[in-house]
Amino acid sequence: MAELPRLKPDPIPVIHPVPEFAVSGARAAVYERTKKGLGVPWMGVVAMAFAHYPRFYDTLWSAMEPITGTKVFRQACQSMRDVAEREAEAMEPAPLVSRLISQGYGVQEIDDIRACNEAFSAGNMPYVLMATLARLLLEGNAWQGAGDLGRATSPTPAMPKPPLMEPHHASGDLAALYGELREVLGLPFVNTDYRAFARWPSYFTLAWSDLKHRLSEAGYATRVECVHQAAIDLAVSLPNASGITPDALRDAATSDASLEEILSVVRLFQWLLPGLAVNVAFFRSQLQR
């Protein structure tokens, strides 16, 4: 089994994600292929940052695309989600529904928040696998997964893309909250998930306030480590349908930039995504009926 310790790059690399509304031509086409293949309604920051390096991303995606519509891939995503939700629920999040109702939230509004959470609870998992496979290969680990891909499954229609409160939309309290998110999480950007939840600022303030105090607990890091390890185990078990080798992905990367630059970007997302999965699962547990 591959050894892949959690590793946050220091310093944090500069990333160059290009938002969906700003792409055209070949890059727009690869964005659509990615969303269709993964069955997600949004292009994750991880994929947009990887796509800044076109040959690297095309090589990585060409290796992943044959397996994304298969039963074995969906089962891997579900297994990882199960781990994230088990670990988050063990943290015993405080319930929020009654507090939201006391603020004036209606049942439909709370269900809308749950639906937004569902999009990310399901959709983050293929991105975790993407970052994990990329790091494994760039660090020279062979992807030796074999076996039957299983019958291709019918594509699950992606949910509508949630509206996002971008940093330039935020003022006052929300801008301050985004600043706190970046400081506490140690990241120079605000993940898509949080920008979606901020569509309901008073809800997200409550949800984040309950979570942020838990992030420094020793048990939190252990729970994220469980998701990290599950991602590795599941990624290496997936069939390598394209036969991609570490050298092929490394050669593609070095045609775009230095290997060190791209590996640093890959390590950043492979480090942060397991934590994001636990955090979204924590928010989900807060809203249980």
Side-chain angles (χ1 to χ4, degrees), residues 13 25 56 84 93 96 132 134 176 280:
F56 161 72
L96 286 188
T132 302
V280 171

Side-chain angles (χ1 to χ4, degrees), residues 58-285:
D58 185 64
T59 303
L60 175 65
W61 180 246
S62 294
M64 287 191 65
E65 195 167 25
I67 64 172
T68 54
T70 64
K71 183 177 180 180
V72 67
F73 186 81
R74 292 192 179 182
Q75 287 175 333
C77 290
Q78 183 60 55
S79 294
M80 192 160 47
R81 177 176 176 174
D82 290 344
V83 173
E85 292 183 354
R86 180 193 70 208
E87 296 300 327
E89 288 169 8
M91 296 166 68
E92 300 182 345
L96 286 188
V97 172
S98 62
R99 294 162 71 183
L100 292 172
I101 290 173
S102 71
Q103 287 189 0
Y105 279 78
V107 171
Q108 184 59 58
E109 289 177 299
I110 295 171
D111 282 345
D112 288 344
I113 299 170
R114 290 190 180 109
C116 179
N117 185 288
E118 176 62 25
F120 294 105
S121 290
N124 281 335
M125 302 307 154
Y127 285 127
V128 180
L129 291 173
M130 173 187 287
T132 302
L133 284 169
R135 184 179 167 196
L136 282 162
L137 290 164
L138 287 182
E139 292 190 3
N141 298 281
W143 178 6
Q144 296 177 324
D148 187 4
L149 284 172
R151 180 175 55 86
T153 57
S154 300
T156 301
M159 297 179 182
K161 180 182 176 181
L164 303 180
M165 294 292 286
E166 301 292 359
H168 58 277
H169 300 159
S171 61
D173 291 345
L174 184 55
L177 178 59
Y178 279 180
E180 182 178 77
L181 278 163
R182 290 190 293 266
E183 180 179 357
V184 171
L185 298 175
L187 295 170
F189 55 87
V190 178
N191 281 105
T192 309
D193 312 48
Y194 305 134
R195 287 180 276 137
F197 296 138
R199 155 70 179 78
W200 302 274
S202 57
Y203 151 72
F204 189 49
T205 298
L206 281 177
W208 166 249
S209 295
D210 283 357
L211 172 64
K212 70 177 179 181
H213 301 296
R214 316 295 293 277
L215 302 181
S216 58
E217 295 176 356
Y220 174 80
T222 301
R223 298 190 187 287
V224 174
E225 180 68 31
C226 288
V227 179
H228 165 81
Q229 190 57 54
I232 297 166
D233 295 343
L234 290 163
V236 298
S237 72
L238 291 168
N240 183 358
S242 72
I244 190 173
T245 64
D247 284 346
L249 190 61
R250 289 159 69 98
D251 287 348
T254 54
S255 71
D256 291 320
S258 70
L259 181 61
E260 292 76 14
E261 176 182 332
I262 296 179
L263 182 55
S264 184
V265 171
V266 168
R267 284 173 172 166
L268 172 64
F269 286 98
Q270 201 273 327
W271 169 81
L272 75 86
L273 285 170
L276 180 64
V278 171
N279 295 352
V280 171
F282 186 96
F283 295 150
R284 179 177 183 275
S285 185

Side-chain angles (χ1 to χ4, degrees), residues 16-20 31 43-52 192 195:
H16 305 278
V18 179
E20 293 178 58
Y31 277 24
M43 188 73 172
V45 177
V46 51
M48 291 189 293
F50 287 5
H52 175 70
T192 309
R195 287 180 276 137

